[in-house]
Amino acid sequence: MDAFTMVIVACISGEPHCTTSRVNEAAFITAQACEARIDAITRDMTLELGKRGFKGREVTYDVSCMDRVQLAQKLGVTTSDT
C-alpha cells in the first residue's frame, strides 16, 4: 500500500494567507496512522503561530490524509511517472 500524505492548512482569522504543512512518511500506511499524528502537529503549529503575535485570534485547520492517487486527484494531476 502507498504511504499516506498528510496535508494541514492552518488559517488565522483576519489574515489573508494560510499556512500549509505537508507530511509524507512511510509510516502512514493507513488513514488511522496518519490521523494519529494530527493532534501533535496542529498543537505545534498553533504554538508557533501564537509566537507570531496572533494571540486571541481563531485558528482553523483543514486536515487531509490521502494516498498517492487521492493526492493526485485533489491536486488535479492527470498523469504521473510514479
Side-chain angles (χ1 to χ4, degrees), residues 14-64:
E15 291 297 313
H17 301 289
C18 296
T19 300
T20 301
S21 177
R22 188 179 74 162
V23 181
N24 186 355
E25 295 182 11
F28 295 161
I29 56 172
T30 65
Q32 292 79 11
C34 183
E35 291 167 355
R37 293 279 312 276
I38 292 171
D39 286 341
I41 292 173
T42 55
R43 182 174 48 248
D44 290 344
M45 288 178 77
T46 301
L47 290 172
E48 185 61 34
L49 292 171
K51 291 177 186 176
R52 292 200 237 156
F54 299 123
K55 187 175 182 181
R57 293 192 194 174
E58 181 181 15
V59 178
T60 57
Y61 292 97
D62 178 23
V63 180
S64 300

Side-chain angles (χ1 to χ4, degrees), residues 66-79:
M66 296 170 277
D67 63 23
R68 200 179 317 186
V69 172
Q70 293 166 326
L71 187 61
Q73 289 172 344
K74 176 132 180 144
L75 297 176
V77 177
T78 55
T79 60

